[in-house]
Amino acid sequence: MEIDGHTKLVGLIAHPAGHSKSPAMHNAAFDLDNINARFLAFDVEPDQLPAAVNALRAFKMLGASVSMPFKQAIIPLLDHLDKTAELVGAVNTVVNHDGELTGYTTDGIGFVEALKDDGVHLTGQTMTLAGVGGAGTPIAIQAALSGLTTLNVFNINDPSVANAKKIVQIINDQTDCHATFYPLEDRDQFKQKLSESDVYTDATGLGMGKLVDQTLVDDPSWFHRDMTVFDTVYAPSVTKLMGVANQAHVAHVINGQGMLLNQGAAAFKLWTGQTMPLKDMVL
């Protein structure tokens, strides 16, 4: 559709933002659904986050996607939080309701739907998750709500460790899943839990950008053939972790593209009220 005086705007708030595939995905969906809107990526410096959020109101934008490092930092700047976002403590989607901004999280839904698309269901399964930050937090909670029996949570000893332990407690208190926290520095424990898992999910961000050559698992023997390895990174499409998993001939090796599509579809519906034509979408 042509841009005119009625074209609405949606934006990505992230730092960096140049690698994002969200503009291509959402603009294609706007065209396919005949919606007069455009999606742009904005690389926002951390000290400019309040100004960026105010711009959503000033420009009467439909809303925004929110990515690292702002998924938690943006919360105090919003007017309302969806219940799931409040539970997760992170936001990846903002909707502008006549100047009032509401935060949602769709990452967890995107993760579970991406697994289903590859024939993997979490009911009765054991999962090991590395990294409980902006993406790992909703993944952990949504997985627990989706029938997961056991969740092994690993996180490094940095400021995010308090969040990791809090999420484990929330899962144990409010779901039927049994979650346990482990320090990621304990490599022996990490290796052991991987051997017991049906699904391994890496939500650390290793494997992308300046960390493209890094992975927590570089030995294929740590994996077994019946498991699923899910890397939340979507660019590059084959990460170093996925290469190791392929060497181990695991049953399912999945990158973050399906998660991106499915979480984007959920956000798209929040902004527009319409369903994203996923079958026609290509990243």
Side-chain angles (χ1 to χ4, degrees):
M1 295 185 67
E2 293 185 4
I3 295 175
D4 59 25
H6 300 286
T7 302
K8 296 295 184 180
L9 180 63
V10 184
L12 169 67
I13 298 175
H15 182 67
H19 68 283
S20 176
K21 295 186 178 182
S22 292
M25 174 178 66
H26 286 293
N27 287 324
F30 289 145
D31 287 343
L32 288 166
D33 275 358
N34 294 311
I35 296 172
N36 190 3
R38 277 294 174 262
F39 188 108
L40 297 177
F42 300 105
D43 190 335
V44 177
E45 296 291 338
D47 62 350
Q48 291 296 307
L49 180 61
V53 172
N54 284 333
L56 299 180
R57 299 184 178 93
F59 296 153
K60 296 180 175 60
M61 294 171 63
L62 294 177
S65 288
V66 183
S67 191
M68 296 186 292
F70 300 127
K71 291 187 178 185
Q72 295 165 331
I74 199 170
I75 290 176
L77 304 174
L78 303 177
D79 301 301
H80 309 284
L81 283 184
D82 169 75
K83 185 175 181 180
T84 303
E86 185 175 0
L87 186 65
V88 168
V91 164
N92 79 327
T93 302
V94 175
V95 179
N96 184 2
H97 300 283
D98 297 321
E100 293 202 358
L101 305 181
T102 301
Y104 299 82
T105 180
T106 65
D107 280 331
I109 295 170
F111 168 73
V112 172
E113 291 301 314
L115 285 174
K116 289 180 180 178
D117 289 343
D118 214 65
V120 179
H121 298 270
L122 293 176
T123 302
Q125 301 288 290
T126 294
M127 185 171 86
T128 292
L129 170 67
V132 191
T137 298
I139 284 173
I141 288 180
Q142 195 65 49
L145 293 172
S146 299
L148 198 68
T149 298
T150 304
L151 177 62
N152 307 309
V153 172
F154 284 83
N155 205 87
I156 60 173
N157 187 22
D158 71 359
S160 68
V161 73
N163 177 68
K165 293 178 178 178
K166 181 185 76 172
I167 294 305
V168 165
Q169 190 62 52
I170 289 172
I171 289 171
N172 287 328
D173 289 345
Q174 301 190 36
T175 78
D176 294 327
C177 177
H178 175 69
T180 306
F181 171 82
Y182 300 96
L184 189 52
E185 291 80 5
D186 188 343
R187 299 290 289 172
D188 290 337
Q189 188 73 264
F190 186 47
K191 179 180 179 181
Q192 177 62 35
K193 293 305 175 184
L194 285 177
S195 71
E196 300 170 0
S197 295
D198 302 293
V199 179
Y200 168 57
T201 300
D202 189 306
T204 64
L206 295 181
M208 66 178 289
K210 295 180 180 179
L211 307 177
V212 68
D213 293 325
Q214 297 188 30
T215 176
L216 292 174
V217 183
D218 52 18
D219 185 346
S221 69
W222 285 30
F223 295 134
H224 60 85
R225 293 196 176 203
D226 295 329
M227 73 187 305
T228 296
V229 173
F230 191 110
D231 195 335
T232 59
V233 172
Y234 60 84
S237 59
V238 179
T239 63
K240 187 170 183 180
L241 169 65
M242 293 172 66
V244 174
N246 284 326
Q247 291 177 48
H249 303 289
V250 305
H252 302 272
V253 182
I254 307 171
N255 66 16
Q257 291 187 2
M259 178 176 167
L260 175 67
L261 276 172
N262 283 286
Q263 66 83 18
F268 185 89
K269 190 161 189 176
L270 286 170
W271 295 322
T272 68
Q274 295 184 217
T275 300
M276 178 182 279
L278 279 176
K279 64 182 179 66
D280 298 315
M281 303 301 300
V282 178
L283 287 177

